[in-house]
Amino acid sequence: MNFHRQPGLFDLDERAAQLTALGDPLVKLKAEIDFEDFRADLNRVHEKERKSNAGAKPFDGVLMFKVLILQHLYNLSDDGLEYQIRDRLSFMRFLGLRMEHRVPDAKTVWLFRERLKALGLVEVLFGRFNEQLARRGYVAKTGQMIDATFIEAPRQRNSREENARIKAGEIPEGWDDDENAPMRRQKDTEARWTKKNHETHYGYKNHINADAATKLIQDYSVTPAHVHDSQVFEDLLDTETTDAEGHKRPVYADSAYRSEKHEERLAEAGMVSQIHEKGTRAAPLTEEQTASNRNKSKVRARVEHIFGAQAAMDGHIVRTIGLERARVKVGLLNLAYNMKRLVQLTANEVRRQARRAASPDGIGLPAVA
C-alpha cells in the first residue's frame, strides 16, 4: 500500500463525510445559524476607504466573525486559533476554506476584533442574533434570571502606591514616560480587585439577564469586578415583555439584588419579585422565608448552568487589556454561548418530537432541560 500518495479532492471529501458521521458539532452549528444575517453589520468593518488596491484583499467579514465564534467555543488564543484553523479540517469546513485558501493569521484576528470594538458592533451582533432567535420562536416568555460572574484578567504586578493611584483614576508616576511606553501598554488600569466568599478576584464581571425556560441570554453588561451586582440590576431589567398570559415576567435573583428600592421598582412595573430574601444576625430568616427561598432557587439556579457552560468554553478569562476590549470578548462569549444553546434547544425539540411519535398516546415522556 502506498502511504505517500498526494491526497485528492475526493479523499478530503471522504474525510469530511466521516467527521460528519462522527458527530462534528460545527456541522450542526453551521446548519442552525444564519451567519449571512450578520453580513450587513459586518460589512461596516471594511467601510474604511482603502488608499490603494495593492496588496491582498481583506478577509470576508462573515468568515472573520465565524473565526471569532470558534475562538470562544474552543478557548483559543489568537496564535492558537490560527494554528487550529490550519490544522483542523472541521474548522476549515466550518469557515468554508479549502487547503489552497488563505488563512487569517493571529494579527488579522486581532485587528478585526479591534474594528468591532471601535465600531461598537458586538452589541449590535448580539441583538441581531436575538432577532434571529425570535424568528425561530425562542422569545423570552418565562421568568428572567439576573446574575453575574467574574471574568478574570491577567493579574498586574503593581506596587501598593501604583494600585492606589489607579483606583483613584490616576496614572501612576512615570508610566507616561516615553521609555515606559511598552510597559504602559501592558498595564490594565480599568480592571479591579474584589473579594467574594473569601476568594480574591481581579478583572471584570459579566452581568446577564437570561430566560428561565430556554437559558438563552437576553441582555448583558460588562463592568470592572468591584461593581456590585445590584448596581446593574435596573440596566438589565426587562419591564416590557409579557408571558403567554399577558403578565410581566417575574424576576429571579439571589439576595445580593434584594433592596427596598428594587422591590419598589418591581411593584411599580407590575412585576412579581422572586428575589431571595435576606437574613441578618439580628433578624434571621423565618422558616417560611427559608422555604420560599428554596422554591425560588429551583428556578434561579438555572442561571448557574449558563455560567458553567461558559466556564467550560473559555474558563471565564480574558487575555486582553482594558474595559472596552473586555466588553468585546465577553460580548462574543455571550453570543457564542447563545449560538451553542440554540443547537441544544433544537436537538431537544427533535428528541421530544421523536418521543411523541413513538408514544402510544402521542404525548411521550418529558424531556430533560
Side-chain angles (χ1 to χ4, degrees):
M1 185 178 293
N2 181 10
F3 291 99
H4 302 289
R5 69 180 181 84
Q6 291 294 319
L9 177 63
F10 293 110
D11 295 312
L12 294 175
D13 288 342
E14 182 181 355
R15 179 69 63 85
Q18 290 171 346
L19 287 174
T20 302
L22 290 170
D24 179 3
L26 295 179
V27 171
K28 297 176 182 177
L29 187 70
K30 189 174 182 179
E32 293 293 344
I33 311 301
D34 180 8
F35 283 99
E36 283 299 314
D37 194 34
F38 301 98
R39 181 170 295 282
D41 299 315
L42 292 167
N43 282 344
R44 292 174 55 194
V45 171
H46 298 312
E47 282 179 355
K48 187 170 61 174
E49 184 179 355
R50 297 183 70 194
K51 296 180 180 179
S52 168
N53 289 325
K57 292 183 179 180
F59 283 95
D60 178 71
V62 174
L63 181 147
M64 291 303 302
F65 176 52
K66 291 165 74 175
V67 165
L68 293 182
I69 295 301
L70 284 177
Q71 181 172 50
H72 287 80
L73 289 174
Y74 291 91
N75 188 20
L76 297 167
S77 66
D78 292 348
D79 289 316
L81 181 61
E82 177 188 351
Y83 175 82
Q84 293 295 341
I85 293 172
R86 294 182 183 279
D87 185 64
R88 296 174 69 162
L89 182 57
S90 60
F91 278 26
M92 293 180 64
R93 179 169 62 168
F94 176 72
L95 297 173
L97 297 175
R98 299 194 72 89
M99 297 299 291
E100 67 273 16
H101 290 162
R102 283 194 307 143
V103 170
D105 60 19
K107 182 67 173 179
T108 301
V109 173
W110 185 88
L111 289 171
F112 184 80
R113 195 167 51 243
E114 285 291 291
R115 286 290 289 160
L116 294 184
K117 174 177 72 71
L119 295 169
L121 274 181
V122 174
E123 294 87 350
V124 174
L125 296 170
F126 184 87
R128 188 73 63 199
F129 187 61
N130 275 357
E131 293 172 1
Q132 194 174 138
L133 289 170
R135 292 196 297 270
R136 297 280 299 272
Y138 292 103
V139 181
K141 288 292 185 182
T142 62
Q144 48 189 310
M145 306 179 295
I146 297 179
D147 207 344
T149 191
F150 290 107
I151 305 293
E152 303 290 338
R155 299 199 171 195
Q156 306 288 294
R157 306 302 176 188
N158 304 325
S159 67
R160 289 189 177 183
E161 181 182 350
E162 288 172 334
N163 280 333
R165 296 196 66 169
I166 291 171
K167 192 173 182 180
E170 303 171 359
I171 300 298
E173 186 176 354
W175 281 23
D176 280 341
D177 296 346
D178 290 342
E179 62 184 30
N180 289 327
M183 178 272 293
R184 173 72 179 85
R185 285 194 292 269
Q186 298 302 315
K187 292 292 186 178
D188 194 334
T189 58
E190 295 173 305
R192 289 292 183 269
W193 293 94
T194 193
K195 279 190 175 183
K196 184 176 182 180
N197 299 331
H198 308 293
E199 293 185 354
T200 302
H201 300 274
Y202 178 77
Y204 301 94
K205 268 186 182 177
N206 181 19
H207 306 260
I208 68 169
N209 180 332
D211 182 63
T214 62
K215 293 189 283 191
L216 287 165
I217 299 172
Q218 305 299 315
D219 197 6
Y220 72 93
S221 180
V222 182
T223 69
H226 73 299
V227 174
H228 194 271
D229 298 355
S230 61
Q231 292 181 247
V232 190
F233 179 76
E234 293 202 38
D235 294 337
L236 295 176
L237 190 63
D238 175 11
T239 60
E240 302 298 326
T241 309
T242 57
D243 61 20
E245 286 74 38
H247 302 127
K248 296 288 184 67
R249 299 163 61 218
V251 179
Y252 293 84
D254 63 34
S255 60
Y257 294 89
R258 187 94 181 188
S259 71
E260 185 175 334
K261 176 185 175 183
H262 289 162
E263 292 302 301
E264 290 176 354
R265 176 74 178 91
L266 294 176
E268 289 172 2
M271 303 172 72
V272 175
S273 172
Q274 296 288 358
I275 302 175
H276 283 216
E277 296 185 69
K278 293 180 182 179
T280 65
R281 183 175 298 179
L285 293 175
T286 65
E287 290 185 8
E288 183 179 356
Q289 289 172 318
T290 301
S292 175
N293 281 353
R294 191 178 301 117
N295 285 330
K296 294 169 183 174
S297 289
K298 293 176 182 178
V299 176
R300 194 209 69 79
R302 289 171 64 83
V303 76
E304 301 300 338
H305 303 171
I306 298 172
F307 292 143
Q310 289 187 331
M313 288 164 60
D314 79 343
H316 281 147
I317 295 171
V318 293
R319 302 179 179 94
T320 54
I321 302 295
L323 178 59
E324 290 306 311
R325 289 191 178 115
R327 283 176 173 152
V328 170
K329 294 287 287 184
V330 175
L332 287 168
L333 169 65
N334 290 334
L335 179 51
Y337 163 80
N338 271 2
M339 289 181 173
K340 186 175 181 179
R341 180 61 181 157
L342 174 61
V343 174
Q344 294 170 336
L345 289 169
T346 53
N348 289 346
E349 182 59 32
V350 169
R351 286 193 289 269
R352 277 194 291 268
Q353 292 176 359
R355 277 193 294 268
R356 291 192 192 102
S359 176
D361 57 9
I363 298 176
L365 298 173
V368 178

